[in-house]
Amino acid sequence: MRVLITNDDGISSPGLVALVRTFEAAAETYVVAPEHERSATGHAITLHKPLRAHPAVIPGSSVRAWATNGTPADCVVLGILDLLEGRRPDVVLSGINVGPNMGRDLTYSGTVSGAMEGAIFRVPSIAVSIGAFRNPIFTVAAEFAMHLARAILERGLPDDTLLNVNVPNLPKEEIGGIAITRQGPKRYVSRLEKRTDPRGRTYYWLTGEPAPLPDEEGTDSWALAQGRISVTPIGLDLTDGGLREAMEAWELQIPR
Ligand code: MN
C-alpha cells in the first residue's frame, strides 16, 4: 500500500506524526504537508504566488516528507503531480486533526478538503480528526485509519466520494464501537471580538462556540457523544436533490 499523508495543522503537528509512525511500518508512506498551521482554510488552492516544497524530517521516522507554503489541497496536488514522481498513492490520508470536523465544520475544514482533493484525483481518501482540542490521544485514530485504508484497498470507494472519520478522544478500552453516520447539523455560532490596537485602530478577532443543538441520532456528533468512532461517507456532488426538484415549480424565466 502506498499512502500520501497531509494535514492542516502543519507538518510538525503531533497528529500527523502519529499517523506517519503507524503507517510507515506497513505502507510506502509519503508526507506533503503545510509548513505552518492552515486550519479552517477550506478547499483553498494557491494560484497567484509561487508554491514551494522543501524536504522535511518527521521526528522518529524515515519517511520522505515535504513541507510546503501551500494549503492542504495544494499539498495533495503537489504530491500526486510531482513530488511522488509518478508513484500514484492508493490512499490519501488527511490528519489526524486536533479537534473534530463534523456538521458544518466540513465547509471550513482544511483537513476534509485535503481528502476531497484526493477524491478529485480519484484516489480513495480519508480525513481523520480527533474529537478534542486538548490532550489528544491519537493511538486509536491512527490504528483505525490503517484498518479503514486496508478495507478501502479491498473494497474500493465509488468515484467522487471520501470518508470523514471522527474519533472520540478516549483510550481504546472506552471506545464504544463504530457508527457509519451522516453529516449532522452541528455548527458554531460566530462571535466577533471588536478591539482597539495600540495605534487606536479597530481590529476584529473572529471566534465561535458550539451552538446548543441536540445530537440527532445517526449523525457524526451523535456518534462521538456516544463514545463511538464516526465514519461519514461524503460526496463531492453538493447538489440538493429536494430543492432541485422543488425549484422546477418556480418557473424561472429570463427577464425581458
Ligand atoms: Mn486543523
Side-chain angles (χ1 to χ4, degrees):
M1 169 169 37
R2 183 182 298 136
V3 297
L4 169 58
I5 297 178
T6 192
N7 77 347
D8 78 357
D9 293 336
I11 195 149
S12 310
S13 165
L16 179 126
V17 175
L19 207 50
V20 169
R21 288 194 183 145
T22 299
F23 272 80
E24 72 173 335
E28 187 185 334
T29 304
Y30 299 89
V31 176
V32 184
E35 59 198 356
H36 304 299
E37 180 172 354
R38 303 300 295 268
S39 291
T41 49
H43 206 135
I45 52 173
T46 302
L47 297 180
H48 302 292
K49 64 174 189 182
L51 274 173
R52 312 267 183 198
H54 314 278
V57 173
I58 306 295
S61 148
S62 57
V63 296
R64 293 193 68 189
W66 293 265
T68 86
N69 64 337
T71 62
D74 286 328
C75 289
V76 172
V77 176
L78 285 166
I80 292 176
L81 293 187
D82 189 69
L83 298 171
L84 271 56
E85 297 172 339
R87 291 176 291 250
R88 190 175 167 82
D90 299 307
V91 179
V92 168
L93 289 153
S94 186
I96 299 166
N97 190 64
V98 177
N101 276 303
M102 306 185 295
R104 301 296 175 256
D105 301 341
L106 272 61
T107 313
Y108 304 96
S109 171
T111 304
V112 173
S113 296
M116 278 186 173
E117 190 62 27
I120 287 171
F121 276 95
R122 300 219 143 87
V123 177
S125 297
I126 311 171
V128 189
S129 304
I130 197 95
F133 292 97
R134 286 177 185 216
N135 305 316
I137 308 168
F138 295 116
T139 328
V140 181
E143 287 172 4
F144 183 71
M146 171 66 83
H147 174 69
L148 198 54
R150 287 201 169 114
I152 284 175
L153 278 192
E154 200 171 301
R155 296 166 182 272
L157 279 183
D159 280 348
D160 298 331
T161 65
L162 58 142
L163 299 178
N164 182 40
V165 177
N166 283 277
V167 179
N169 193 37
L170 297 170
K172 192 183 282 184
E173 58 276 12
E174 288 174 37
I175 301 254
I178 295 148
I180 310 300
T181 57
R182 66 180 190 276
Q183 183 184 357
K186 277 278 190 178
R187 53 183 289 262
Y188 287 83
V189 181
S190 294
R191 236 178 24 144
L192 205 52
E193 299 251 349
K194 188 175 183 178
R195 298 181 181 171
T196 305
D197 76 13
R199 295 191 178 128
R201 296 173 305 195
T202 298
Y203 70 98
Y204 300 92
W205 204 292
L206 188 54
T207 63
E209 48 199 63
L213 289 168
D215 294 310
E216 287 177 25
E217 189 169 339
T219 61
D220 40 19
S221 62
W222 168 84
L224 245 70
Q226 308 240 317
R228 297 162 78 183
I229 297 174
S230 166
V231 181
T232 312
I234 303 287
L236 294 180
D237 181 352
L238 299 178
T239 310
D240 187 289
L243 182 55
R244 189 191 59 78
E245 256 176 55
M247 283 192 72
E248 295 289 354
W250 287 23
E251 295 176 354
L252 296 171
Q253 288 175 13
I254 295 169
R256 286 177 182 276

